[in-house]
Amino acid sequence: QVVGGKVKKPGKRGRKPAKIDLKAKLERSRQSARECRARKKLRYQYLEELVSSRERAICALREELEMYKQWCMAMDQGKIPSEIKALLTGEEQGKAQQNSIKLAKAGKTEANSTNP
């Protein structure tokens, strides 16, 4: 028979029966399921680690916020916390060190330019 320009053989309709062994097909399905469960387990582990790291960060930020609240309450009472004093003097010392380093570098470049 010729239908639509194609030759059809009688008795060959529909899908061809699967030649794959049923046991092999089941084994492939089991293997695929194992791999899927392993990927799912890894995904859950990653998400749990992500959540725990974010929780630790939140706790650290809450502690820092509480510390700042205490500093503000102390400053409202007219007291300057020692941490703030240390922070301010540390900044002043840092600026002084930066200026001395800049002066030293400038002096070295001047000395190098005068020596032939």
Side-chain angles (χ1 to χ4, degrees):
Q1 291 180 349
V2 177
V3 178
K6 295 183 180 178
V7 178
K8 285 195 160 197
K9 298 180 183 174
K12 298 276 186 175
R13 289 190 199 169
R15 296 182 60 175
K16 293 183 180 177
K19 294 182 181 178
I20 300 171
D21 188 20
L22 185 61
K23 288 183 180 181
K25 187 175 179 182
L26 287 173
E27 185 56 38
R28 267 202 337 242
S29 177
R30 287 186 191 113
Q31 182 63 30
S32 176
R34 276 187 223 112
E35 291 171 0
C36 181
R37 285 190 295 271
R39 286 191 303 269
K40 183 178 177 181
K41 185 178 178 182
L42 285 173
R43 209 171 22 251
Y44 272 91
Q45 286 175 348
Y46 168 74
L47 290 173
E48 286 173 357
E49 290 173 5
L50 195 64
V51 167
S52 66
S53 69
R54 299 285 165 91
E55 286 175 344
R56 286 192 301 271
I58 288 170
C59 288
L61 288 170
R62 283 190 177 142
E63 289 174 5
E64 187 177 357
L65 179 63
E66 189 60 35
M67 178 184 65
Y68 291 143
K69 283 182 182 178
Q70 291 174 356
W71 286 5
C72 289
M73 288 191 311
M75 290 193 321
D76 286 345
Q77 296 172 358
K79 302 173 187 173
I80 298 177
S82 59
E83 294 91 350
I84 293 179
K85 287 181 183 177
L87 191 65
L88 292 173
T89 57
E91 286 179 2
E92 291 171 0
Q93 289 175 356
K95 288 179 183 177
Q97 286 177 350
Q98 288 175 352
N99 288 337
S100 63
I101 290 170
K102 286 179 184 177
L103 290 173
K105 285 182 180 179
K108 285 181 182 178
T109 55
E110 287 178 16
N112 288 341
S113 62
T114 56
N115 289 343

